[in-house]
Amino acid sequence: MSSLLSKAFATLKITTLEDGRQFIGRGPFELRRPEPQPRVQFYGYAISRYWLLEFAEQYCPHLLPDRNAKDYEFTSAMRAYGLLRDWLCVYSLDRQYCFNPKGDSVPPEWFEGVNDDEPPEDLDMVQVLAVCSDREDEFERRPTQEQLDFLTKLVGQAPKWWVSCDWEE
């Protein structure tokens, strides 16, 4: 047994981040920062509240309130999110609302109109399960490739960069 442990520890790598923090593992997954935008950008997965509900119902039904409870959807989504964060050991995992443009870039009027009483008619937003942002400290705390691969398989789609509806740079 001690030989097996010795071999396992020998393959681990100690990673030192720019701020001096160290952790054991292969380090954060490789990722290039996107071009700066007027708002914070998040790297993650578009998910619907229904995906979170189904996840909670499948993996932690014992933690959910009665289906007829007023707060069922909210509580289920929070339980699913917490379970994902704990399973992955990615405590920087976050949920954010982001723009969902049809093309590659967010129309300028969306930035200005997102908080208006009458936002642009074509304004589209999506909930994102974010693993990091383009902010320096959050970017450096991104998960390992193994954690990202597990989440990608679970969600069923590849992550991408999303521009925040809420967080101005």
Side-chain angles (χ1 to χ4, degrees):
M1 179 64 123
S2 67
S3 173
L4 182 61
L5 286 175
S6 297
K7 288 179 184 176
F9 280 115
T11 61
L12 291 176
K13 177 183 171 191
I14 296 178
T15 303
T16 303
L17 300 177
E18 289 176 10
D19 65 3
R21 289 180 293 142
Q22 292 185 331
F23 63 94
I24 297 176
R26 295 184 185 186
F29 68 94
E30 292 293 321
L31 181 65
R32 284 185 45 208
R33 275 204 182 107
E35 292 296 317
Q37 294 278 338
R39 296 185 184 239
V40 175
Q41 297 173 84
F42 293 96
Y43 190 74
Y45 308 85
I47 56 168
S48 70
R49 67 184 178 141
Y50 301 110
W51 186 90
L52 284 171
L53 286 174
E54 288 176 16
F55 183 85
E57 289 169 352
Q58 183 174 357
Y59 294 105
C60 59
H62 59 286
L63 298 175
L64 305 181
D66 181 80
R67 244 185 200 287
N68 296 322
K70 196 174 188 177
D71 64 342
Y72 180 78
E73 286 189 13
F74 175 79
T75 301
S76 298
M78 292 305 296
R79 298 280 193 242
Y81 167 70
L83 184 60
L84 279 169
R85 200 181 60 218
D86 292 345
W87 268 7
L88 294 165
C89 297
V90 176
Y91 300 105
S92 60
L93 196 65
D94 200 2
R95 291 186 307 159
Q96 295 289 334
Y97 283 96
C98 296
F99 293 115
N100 190 20
K102 301 296 181 240
D104 289 337
S105 61
V106 176
E109 62 271 14
W110 285 16
F111 292 119
E112 298 160 9
V114 70
N115 295 319
D116 289 350
D117 290 336
E118 293 182 34
E121 284 186 26
D122 62 343
L123 177 69
D124 190 15
M125 296 183 289
V126 66
Q127 183 176 200
V128 172
L129 190 60
V131 297
C132 69
S133 79
D134 62 350
R135 290 180 168 168
E136 184 70 34
D137 61 330
E138 293 173 2
F139 187 79
E140 293 303 323
R141 288 186 308 200
R142 62 194 185 280
T144 66
Q145 186 65 53
E146 291 82 4
Q147 290 167 315
L148 191 72
D149 291 345
F150 180 84
L151 189 54
T152 299
K153 186 174 181 179
L154 195 62
V155 173
Q157 63 181 324
K160 69 175 208 170
W161 284 106
W162 301 87
V163 178
S164 173
C165 295
D166 301 324
W167 294 93
E168 293 189 30
E169 197 52 61

